């Protein structure tokens, strides 16, 4: 269909882009309020996607630092009624636990989502040989098992 409005971007796409820009620039003190405002958008799928990207960016930035726990607690309250976002934040917290060498269980790793297992196996976040061995042996997908095996081989190579 060709017409004067053919090239117009849908309103939810424009809002999504504005939300991402606002979330990227938000002051720490205003972050929870902005996240809550985005989640009130009538397009819940788009809002969840924007907030999910924000959570991923912020969690990655804060992951091993001292501010992660307080930030995660605040975000948990704001996103409490959003199952996907709650799960994603819980899995970022598990990545932090493993990265810091704190206790975790095999069930947490093997029961985690494909996203989590890929993150754990393909990034430098998880360096625990125990976690990588578990994913190499019992990761949900061949991609995860192979990536974890590669990480283990790299760790075993002399510098």
């Amino acid at each position: 269909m060709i017409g004067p409005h053919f090239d117009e971007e849908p309103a939810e796409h424009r809002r999504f882009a504005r939300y991402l820009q606002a979330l990227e620039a938000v002051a720490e003190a205003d972050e929870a309020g902005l996240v809550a405002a985005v989640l009130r958008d009538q397009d819940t799928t788009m809002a969840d996607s924007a907030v999910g990207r924000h959570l991923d960016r912020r969690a990655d930035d804060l992951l091993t630092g001292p501010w992660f726990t307080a930030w995660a607690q605040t975000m948990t309250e704001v996103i409490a009624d959003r199952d996907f976002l709650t799960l994603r934040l819980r899995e970022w917290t598990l990545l932090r636990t493993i990265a810091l060498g704190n206790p975790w269980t095999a069930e947490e790793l093997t029961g985690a989502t494909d996203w989590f297992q890929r993150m754990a196996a393909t990034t430098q976040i998880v360096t625990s040989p125990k976690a990588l061995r578990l994913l190499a042996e019992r990761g949900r997908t061949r991609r995860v098992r192979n990536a974890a095996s590669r990480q283990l081989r790299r760790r075993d190579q002399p510098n």
Side-chain angles (χ1 to χ4, degrees):
M1 170 184 245
I2 298 178
H5 302 290
F6 179 71
D7 290 330
E8 282 190 25
E9 190 172 24
E12 64 272 12
H13 291 194
R14 290 191 305 274
R15 286 196 319 277
F16 180 78
R18 282 195 312 268
Y19 288 153
L20 289 180
Q21 287 176 331
L23 288 164
E24 178 100 18
V26 70
E28 191 174 311
D30 301 325
E31 182 181 16
L34 180 56
V35 168
V38 171
L39 291 176
R40 286 191 296 273
D41 191 286
Q42 72 269 10
D43 186 336
T44 57
T45 302
M46 180 272 300
D48 283 358
S49 182
V51 171
R53 282 198 191 182
H54 175 69
L55 290 179
D56 286 347
R57 183 183 57 78
R58 287 284 287 156
D60 190 41
D61 289 346
L62 298 171
L63 193 64
T64 57
W67 311 116
F68 180 89
T69 301
W71 171 80
Q73 288 171 343
T74 299
M75 288 298 108
T76 297
E77 294 170 15
V78 176
I79 63 171
D81 63 340
R82 302 296 178 103
D83 294 341
F84 170 77
L85 297 174
T86 300
L87 175 60
R88 181 58 63 91
L89 188 54
R90 192 175 327 125
E91 289 190 334
W92 273 110
T93 302
L94 179 56
L95 279 171
R96 173 184 168 78
T97 297
I98 297 166
L100 295 179
N102 294 328
W104 50 272
T105 66
E107 293 76 27
E108 288 176 300
L109 256 64
T110 58
T113 64
D114 290 353
W115 173 86
F116 171 87
Q117 289 189 0
R118 275 192 312 275
M119 284 292 289
T122 62
T123 66
Q124 299 301 314
I125 295 169
V126 172
T127 57
S128 163
K130 180 180 172 186
L132 291 171
R133 272 194 300 279
L134 182 63
L135 290 171
E137 294 167 7
R138 296 178 35 203
R140 184 173 291 118
T141 65
R142 182 178 14 213
R143 180 179 175 187
V144 166
R145 293 187 301 272
N146 288 340
S149 294
R150 280 191 301 277
Q151 290 279 55
L152 284 167
R153 282 194 301 274
R154 279 189 211 117
R155 286 181 47 82
D156 293 339
Q157 290 177 349
N159 292 330

